[in-house]
Amino acid sequence: VEVKIEVVIPEKERSKEEMSPNGKASPLIYKVNGTARHYHLEEHSIASNPYHNPKDIVEASVCHVKDLENGQMREVDLGCGKALLIKESGEFHAVGHKCPHYGAPLVKGVLSKGRVRCPWHGACFNISTGDIEDFPSLDSLPRFQVKIEKEKVYIRASKQALQTQRRTKMMAKCISLSNYNLSSTNVLIIGAGAAGLVCAETLRQEGFSDRIVMCTMDRHLPYDRPKLSKSMDSHPEQIALRSKEFFCTYDIEVLTEMQVAAVDIKSKIAVFKDGFKMEYNKLLIATGNMPKALSCKGKEMENVFNIRTPEDANRVVKLATSKNVVIVGASFLGMEVAAYLAERAHSVSVVELEEVPFKKFFGERVGRAVMKMFESNRVKFYMQTEVSELREQEGKLKEVVLKSGKVLRADVCVVGVGAVPATGFLKQSGINIDSKGFIVVNKMMQTNIPGVFAAGDAVTFPLALRNNKKVNVPHWQMAHMHGRIAALNMLAHGTEISTVPYLWTAMFGKSIRYAGHGEGFDDVVIQGDLDELKFVAFYTKSDEVVAVASMNYDPIVSKVAEVLAAGRTIRKRDVETGDMSWLTGKGS
């Protein structure tokens, strides 16, 4: 049996073929505030319509229909590129074979109920449409049609789509920007991280054609912030999430180096630090966190850094090369910076209050295994102590004095002792903020004020996974989903958040993946070998698994994430026995 795969234009996109002579589709109508608005939908040119150029099409026989069982995936080669062939419920599907996020091979991912989950970072894609259903990828997969002739499978696909392995969903453009008052916008987004960007993109994908303005204290367009500590010498343009042309094409305005000082919810006005005021109809607050500073003497001196911008990271790498580095705080940021600098600096020392790194997050046993990995890479630890003073010589950092009495030579100090929500400007606004400074939202990312939404690291929200307990989950993936949910509810879709938290950290070429929410875990069940750094750790609370972490055990974390996403409970006894039948739905 041969299987044919050919590119198919979804129904939404078919309307593009019915174009007017000037190349623009007939305008559709979308209502904003009860007023009819016209808009155009456009497909981003990452993967252009393959039918425009017949020479761009390739067709190849890839297998016999009996070569795949239900629930199986196979990476197939079409000569000029590869596709992911999937069989589920007796039907064949074909999509791009690489996750658009960091290029993970999806064939090693997890197939479950019509979607495939990336084995590295948990992004999910619909196997019928290629559309992204969970993050952190911004782009969807190209989708190809599968046809069967004489019991063989053929794939017919666009060469460009095969080579790019990504597709940006159709997006609206803003109408008559020239008619707008510069000091008013329909949607104002405070913050230009993942939450803010995905909110803006989702609005355009849903046909929203009014003005969208994002503002940020940063000097750059939205970028991949997790790379600041994992790949510290990256330049802003290398880690940009979208190009300048993208924002221009879809009329998403970004005001850089602009800080909001106050929000007047009654007048619906945001007041900027420089006195500029902007009216809004809908507001998203996605300001994220601000790093905590040290409280000791000398904290303000030169060569003491919080890693907040690409410039910070680049400066640290330059100053640390062949020098002595002290990192205060064995946080994710602190440990990732230590790993990155270990081969570049003369010495790297980590100072931490806890007994082992990541104790509260990964547990003592996993934390100790990670600590040993660092020690084998020349990183020294000074645990259960803190900094009492930073000493200078000729105006520059020279020594870090610990409360234990130890004095460390230091040319550079990186502070990673945690963060606080950047919500101080909202204290008098009337927006509900909890005792820790987090903005309180419901499942639709709405605050207590109509028309005001919040997303990302600065919020607490009901986590379905933990019986709707209000939690703060400062993960990159979660910020993306918050932004999407906020956008959908700005458009009155009534969509509730139900995603499973997923994060990763990378150190010395090894990654720890994590899914779930393990806060308050009371036991850790470990399978594998911690000494060999090949393990999976299940975090339990009472009799229930609430989170999982792994190293060199892919795709177990993505599998567990799919089980949790399906609403199934994993019992402690299920993982203690080593029986993995619960992964296939045969357990609880």
Side-chain angles (χ1 to χ4, degrees):
V1 178
E2 294 184 349
V3 179
K4 281 187 178 179
I5 303 180
E6 62 181 32
V7 175
V8 166
I9 305 177
E11 288 301 319
K12 268 189 174 182
E13 295 174 294
R14 287 185 188 278
S15 61
K16 289 177 63 186
E17 293 186 350
E18 302 168 7
M19 288 190 170
S20 56
N22 65 1
K24 293 291 184 182
S26 300
L28 304 174
I29 292 178
Y30 185 83
K31 287 191 174 181
V32 179
N33 301 333
T35 304
R37 305 284 193 180
H38 293 271
Y39 70 91
H40 296 285
L41 286 176
E42 284 197 4
E43 185 81 14
H44 190 39
S45 59
I46 284 176
S48 59
N49 189 336
Y51 290 102
H52 289 172
N53 182 7
K55 293 182 180 179
D56 184 49
I57 302 301
V58 62
E59 185 175 293
S61 170
V62 293
C63 70
H64 192 280
V65 290
K66 292 182 180 178
D67 287 344
L68 261 69
E69 299 292 333
N70 279 323
Q72 284 190 327
M73 300 185 289
R74 175 179 290 186
E75 204 174 81
V76 293
D77 196 338
L78 279 70
C80 62
K82 295 180 179 180
L84 182 68
L85 182 63
I86 303 166
K87 186 176 182 182
E88 189 175 66
S89 301
E91 294 186 7
F92 285 92
H93 305 271
V95 292
H97 76 289
K98 284 185 179 181
C99 178
H101 181 223
Y102 283 175
L106 292 176
V107 70
K108 295 183 179 180
V110 180
L111 177 64
S112 176
K113 295 183 179 178
R115 70 179 190 178
V116 59
R117 183 184 284 268
C118 172
W120 290 358
H121 306 128
C124 298
F125 304 90
N126 186 293
I127 62 173
S128 296
T129 65
D131 287 349
I132 185 165
E133 295 187 349
D134 204 342
F135 299 91
S137 174
L138 289 174
D139 291 311
S140 297
L141 298 173
R143 170 236 178 173
F144 316 111
Q145 184 185 27
V146 180
K147 286 187 177 180
I148 300 172
E149 288 186 2
K150 297 180 180 179
E151 298 193 332
K152 285 189 178 180
V153 182
Y154 289 83
I155 299 184
R156 186 171 183 247
S158 156
K159 293 178 183 178
Q160 184 180 7
L162 287 168
Q163 290 163 4
T164 58
Q165 289 293 312
R166 62 182 64 221
R167 172 180 61 85
T168 298
K169 294 174 73 173
M170 295 178 69
M171 297 176 73
K173 297 187 71 174
C174 191
I175 55 158
S176 304
L177 266 179
S178 58
N179 295 336
Y180 285 113
N181 181 340
L182 290 177
S183 61
S184 68
T185 182
N186 196 290
V187 174
L188 175 62
I189 299 171
I190 306 176
L197 176 61
V198 172
C199 179
E201 288 199 26
T202 302
L203 288 170
R204 288 286 185 249
Q205 289 166 1
E206 294 296 317
F208 182 79
S209 59
D210 222 314
R211 192 180 188 200
I212 300 172
V213 174
M214 300 173 66
C215 62
T216 174
M217 293 169 57
D218 216 314
R219 61 189 292 188
H220 305 293
L221 293 173
Y223 56 85
D224 193 343
R225 192 174 293 275
K227 283 191 175 178
L228 293 185
S229 53
K230 295 181 179 75
S231 182
M232 296 179 68
D233 56 359
S234 297
H235 297 297
E237 59 273 14
Q238 294 174 311
I239 59 175
L241 294 173
R242 293 298 195 193
S243 66
K244 183 178 179 180
E245 291 72 26
F246 180 93
F247 291 96
C248 293
T249 299
Y250 300 114
D251 303 322
I252 299 170
E253 301 168 67
V254 184
L255 307 180
T256 58
E257 298 182 88
M258 291 286 282
Q259 182 179 355
V260 174
V263 173
D264 184 337
I265 60 171
K266 291 183 179 179
S267 303
K268 292 190 172 183
I269 293 175
V271 182
F272 289 77
K273 193 173 183 179
D274 64 0
F276 178 67
K277 296 181 180 180
M278 179 169 281
E279 294 183 41
Y280 63 83
N281 180 44
K282 294 286 194 302
L283 175 67
L284 176 71
I285 304 166
T287 45
N289 286 335
M290 294 295 291
K292 288 181 181 177
L294 294 177
S295 57
C296 62
K297 180 182 176 182
K299 64 179 180 179
E300 304 293 343
M301 77 172 62
E302 194 174 335
N303 291 4
V304 179
F305 294 88
N306 292 114
I307 305 293
R308 185 66 184 167
T309 66
E311 288 78 15
D312 292 336
N314 295 169
R315 181 78 173 147
V316 167
V317 172
K318 184 177 180 180
L319 292 173
T321 302
S322 301
K323 300 291 185 179
N324 301 299
V325 181
V326 173
I327 295 164
V328 184
S331 58
F332 282 103
L333 180 143
M335 294 291 278
E336 289 169 0
V337 169
Y340 190 83
L341 296 179
E343 291 184 357
R344 295 165 175 81
H346 177 263
S347 70
V348 176
S349 302
V350 177
V351 180
E352 168 60 38
L353 266 172
E354 291 286 345
E355 185 182 355
V356 296
F358 303 130
K359 183 177 179 180
K360 290 181 179 178
F361 199 86
F362 289 137
E364 184 173 347
R365 292 174 64 193
V366 172
R368 200 168 294 281
V370 172
M371 186 173 174
K372 287 181 180 178
M373 176 179 72
F374 273 73
E375 289 173 332
S376 69
N377 283 278
R378 300 189 311 109
V379 176
K380 293 183 179 180
F381 288 91
Y382 299 88
M383 308 303 285
Q384 295 179 288
T385 188
E386 54 188 319
V387 176
S388 63
E389 182 186 355
L390 299 177
R391 289 179 182 166
E392 66 173 320
Q393 182 176 322
E394 299 179 356
K396 292 185 179 181
L397 178 68
K398 190 64 179 177
E399 294 175 335
V400 174
V401 183
L402 307 183
K403 287 189 176 179
S404 63
K406 184 73 175 177
V407 179
L408 307 178
R409 293 179 61 188
D411 301 294
V412 181
C413 178
V414 177
V415 181
V417 293
V420 293
T423 57
F425 71 102
L426 298 173
K427 285 184 178 177
Q428 308 300 321
S429 67
I431 295 169
N432 189 11
I433 296 175
D434 71 11
S435 60
K436 294 182 179 179
F438 294 109
I439 305 167
V440 180
V441 296
N442 62 16
K443 286 185 175 183
M444 295 186 285
M445 310 314 296
Q446 296 169 328
T447 69
N448 60 311
I449 306 300
V452 178
F453 299 77
D457 293 1
V459 310
T460 59
F461 69 101
L463 183 63
L465 187 68
R466 298 294 296 271
N467 297 316
N468 296 320
K469 176 184 177 183
K470 284 286 181 75
V471 299
N472 170 250
V473 182
H475 302 346
W476 188 239
Q477 166 260 354
M478 188 59 76
H480 287 71
M481 185 57 80
H482 281 183
R484 177 163 178 78
I485 297 296
L488 293 174
N489 290 307
M490 284 182 180
L491 303 177
H493 285 204
T495 306
E496 296 185 349
I497 190 164
S498 62
T499 187
V500 174
Y502 200 115
L503 72 87
W504 69 97
T505 183
M507 302 163 294
F508 300 112
K510 299 181 183 297
S511 291
I512 299 179
R513 320 212 191 277
Y514 180 97
H517 187 69
E519 186 180 48
F521 68 88
D522 51 35
D523 198 9
V524 186
V525 179
I526 295 175
Q527 297 177 9
D529 192 327
L530 285 172
D531 292 332
E532 294 294 324
L533 297 175
K534 184 175 183 179
F535 65 88
V536 54
F538 297 94
Y539 299 87
T540 63
K541 189 172 177 62
S542 297
D543 184 43
E544 185 178 339
V545 174
V546 293
V548 61
S550 81
M551 183 182 283
N552 291 317
Y553 231 86
D554 290 340
I556 185 67
V557 170
S558 287
K559 286 184 176 180
V560 171
E562 279 300 296
V563 172
L564 296 176
R568 285 162 43 207
T569 300
I570 305 172
R571 298 296 178 191
K572 185 178 181 180
R573 61 178 179 270
D574 295 335
V575 297
E576 284 179 324
T577 61
D579 179 7
M580 293 294 191
S581 61
W582 50 271
L583 279 176
T584 58
K586 297 176 183 178
S588 298

